[in-house]
Amino acid sequence: MNDRSDRLESGSEVLRRQAVRIPLPDVEAERSFHQNMMRIAAAGDRKSELLDDPDVPLTEVYQDELDEMRQSFEHRLQQVAGENYYDVATAYLDGERDDWIGALAAYYLECYYRLQERYTVDEQIFFLLILRYPKCFTVNLSFLTGEFSSDAVRYESSKHVDADLTEHSREQLHADCQYSQHKAAEYLREHVDCIRGAVPDPDTTPFEQRQYGGFVHITGRRGSTFGEVLDSVAPNPDRFDEQPSTPGLVPEGPEADRAKQQFLTDSQVLI
């Protein structure tokens, strides 16, 4: 497979309706997982603060979030496959290797590339679902089209409005957008603890109380309107029978379908 378009299509298929499954064999692995989730929660806190700051344009808030996501995926790529992660991922896509390291590198690299496009690509929804099970956790990423349901918070960006307005109308638009961003900041502050609740500290929480947990984060933009969902998701306790020995790719699972049906309407999976 030498053609670039074929390789991109193959990368999309690696991502489509699949999730990464990571073993949690001991408390040390749980600590690492907990710390990573606390970083995601801290990023949610930061986003709510930026949304509430009238001196920070929404375009900068959006760019800050995308930069954080891209850095996170680049870090995962280096953790999984080292500095030569691109070669590892493309070797997997070209059929030159068939192991879990290549599969995860291809999955994460596809996410990394798609996130790089998000700032300029409109009408595309980013879907992240993280679920905790007794001996593993899954990370499911999708890029979708569709509409947000009534459960989502919506907020406006005056920078994205392409209209010839009077000075008074533009001032009113800016005020309305600031108010919507303030409400979105409130929403995030109220919901970000669902991340912390999904993955409690293994050093202070009994195992029986931390076996299951999950959350979904969905973001997207259509024109000047942004939509966002951050909420808890209950894992299916019967989903996995065996304990994984190595990381790998698995089907996204029924929880992803339920979350998409609950929080989105007319959704279709792009990748």
Side-chain angles (χ1 to χ4, degrees):
M1 185 188 301
N2 296 317
D3 186 80
R4 179 172 173 80
S5 63
D6 288 343
R7 178 174 285 133
L8 288 173
E9 180 63 26
S10 180
S12 297
E13 289 304 314
V14 167
L15 189 60
R16 192 186 306 275
R17 295 192 180 280
Q18 297 210 83
V20 174
R21 185 186 183 193
I22 306 292
L24 292 173
D26 51 39
V27 174
E28 188 58 39
E30 288 193 61
R31 288 193 189 105
S32 177
F33 177 43
H34 169 73
Q35 291 165 1
N36 287 334
M37 295 305 99
M38 294 309 99
R39 281 192 282 270
I40 292 179
D45 290 333
R46 172 177 168 78
K47 183 176 181 180
S48 70
E49 293 172 0
L50 292 175
L51 281 171
D52 231 1
D53 189 337
D55 295 325
V56 180
L58 185 52
T59 50
E60 291 187 17
V61 179
Y62 192 45
Q63 185 65 60
D64 182 83
E65 180 178 44
L66 292 182
D67 288 343
E68 176 73 25
M69 289 179 179
R70 286 196 296 264
Q71 290 172 18
S72 176
F73 277 104
E74 186 171 26
H75 176 68
R76 289 173 185 162
L77 279 164
Q78 291 173 345
Q79 277 189 319
V80 168
E83 293 293 332
N84 297 322
Y85 58 78
Y86 176 83
D87 294 335
V88 173
T90 53
Y92 179 85
L93 295 176
D94 289 345
E96 297 172 2
R97 60 186 298 162
D98 183 20
D99 61 329
W100 69 265
I101 294 176
L104 265 61
Y107 188 95
Y108 287 144
L109 186 65
E110 182 66 15
C111 293
Y112 179 74
Y113 283 155
R114 299 295 172 176
L115 285 169
Q116 284 183 313
E117 300 172 351
R118 280 203 67 213
Y119 191 73
T120 55
V121 174
D122 200 354
E123 300 184 3
Q124 190 175 104
I125 296 171
F126 174 68
F127 176 96
L128 168 66
L129 177 66
I130 297 181
L131 300 171
R132 162 72 198 264
Y133 302 90
K135 291 297 182 180
C136 67
F137 68 94
T138 61
V139 178
N140 171 218
L141 297 122
S142 300
F143 294 85
L144 316 165
T145 60
E147 299 283 351
F148 283 90
S149 72
S150 58
D151 295 293
V153 63
R154 292 173 173 80
Y155 48 104
E156 300 286 335
S157 168
S158 58
K159 293 284 187 181
H160 289 85
V161 175
D162 185 16
D164 186 13
L165 302 175
T166 65
E167 183 176 351
H168 174 74
S169 296
R170 187 163 294 281
E171 289 176 355
Q172 184 61 53
L173 172 65
H174 181 73
D176 291 343
C177 291
Q178 287 293 319
Y179 178 75
S180 70
Q181 292 170 35
H182 170 69
K183 300 304 289 184
E186 283 186 347
Y187 171 90
L188 285 176
R189 281 195 296 272
E190 291 171 359
H191 286 75
V192 74
D193 278 344
C194 75
I195 301 174
R196 298 182 175 98
V199 189
D201 188 343
D203 292 320
T204 59
T205 308
F207 180 72
E208 292 74 16
Q209 298 177 21
R210 65 177 196 270
Q211 293 185 72
Y212 297 98
F215 69 91
V216 63
H217 187 203
I218 312 173
T219 62
R221 175 171 72 88
R222 182 181 291 274
S224 63
T225 302
F226 291 73
E228 188 150 1
V229 168
L230 179 58
D231 212 334
S232 299
V233 174
N236 182 352
D238 301 321
R239 183 175 176 190
F240 298 117
D241 293 328
E242 78 290 349
Q243 177 178 341
S245 57
T246 62
L249 299 181
V250 296
E252 64 179 5
E255 302 94 337
D257 285 335
R258 288 197 298 269
K260 290 169 187 174
Q261 291 173 12
Q262 178 179 352
F263 298 116
L264 300 170
T265 59
D266 301 323
S267 66
Q268 293 185 0
V269 177
L270 292 174
I271 41 179

